[in-house]
Amino acid sequence: MATAPPLETVGFTFSPQPPSYEEAMSSPYPPGFVQPPPAFSKPEQGPYPVQPYGPPTTGQVVSVQTVYVQPRVVFGSQPVQTHCPGCMQMVLTRLEHNTGTMTWLTCAGLFIFGCFYGCCLIPFCVDDLKDVTHQCPNCSTVLGTYKRL
Ligand SMILES: [Zn+2]
């Protein structure tokens, strides 16, 4: 006795096509009829087209970073409030006075005009004649410098 494979499995998985699929794909309009685009334009939104950002993107992912775009900070002889890239905080810069060109020129000028005995070293004690380095008070990152000359 040969046991034939059950033939019922061929027709077992057969499921009739859902009639709604064919009807859904076929346009309710007769062939050749151009379906008018749906009118989504709202006259209340003005003449500007509603568009998210610039030209339409082609599926590329634009990574958005939180970047502080602040006006250019002018580092002077006074502390300025700026954003520190080191600790990512708004800080008031700490000043550090360093000997700069202005200090040496003033020293040389005083020396030429007769201030020999130590008086020409006065500029090295005057902060207004020194260059200023702006540092972050938290992480000591140099945020900018101000040079007298
Ligand atoms: Zn910092």
Side-chain angles (χ1 to χ4, degrees), residues 83-89 91 135-141 143:
H83 177 257
C84 173
C87 55
M88 299 293 179
Q89 287 181 351
V91 295
Q135 289 183 332
C136 171
N138 297 329
C139 58
S140 298
T141 301
L143 302 175

Side-chain angles (χ1 to χ4, degrees), residues 6-143:
L7 296 174
E8 290 81 4
T9 57
V10 179
F12 185 72
T13 57
F14 173 75
S15 61
Q17 290 282 340
S20 61
Y21 178 74
E22 290 292 329
E23 290 178 0
M25 291 303 291
S26 66
S27 174
Y29 299 100
F33 181 82
V34 179
Q35 188 173 359
F40 282 131
S41 64
K42 298 177 182 179
E44 294 86 17
Q45 294 200 348
Y48 302 104
V50 180
Q51 214 169 20
Y53 293 103
T57 58
T58 57
Q60 60 182 358
V61 178
V62 179
S63 64
V64 178
Q65 290 180 329
T66 304
V67 178
Y68 272 90
V69 181
Q70 59 183 1
R72 189 176 183 84
V73 178
V74 178
F75 294 102
S77 58
Q78 299 297 321
V80 295
Q81 191 170 20
T82 183
H83 177 257
C84 173
C87 55
M88 299 293 179
Q89 287 181 351
M90 291 296 293
V91 295
L92 191 65
T93 57
R94 182 183 63 200
L95 299 183
E96 185 168 300
H97 295 89
N98 301 314
T99 302
T101 311
M102 187 70 170
T103 317
W104 285 104
L105 283 180
T106 309
C107 173
L110 288 174
F111 188 83
I112 290 173
F113 286 103
C115 299
F116 300 113
Y117 303 102
C119 295
C120 61
L121 300 180
I122 289 177
F124 293 99
C125 300
V126 180
D127 287 342
D128 288 338
L129 296 174
K130 294 182 179 179
D131 292 343
V132 179
T133 302
H134 292 259
Q135 289 183 332
C136 171
N138 297 329
C139 58
S140 298
T141 301
V142 176
L143 302 175

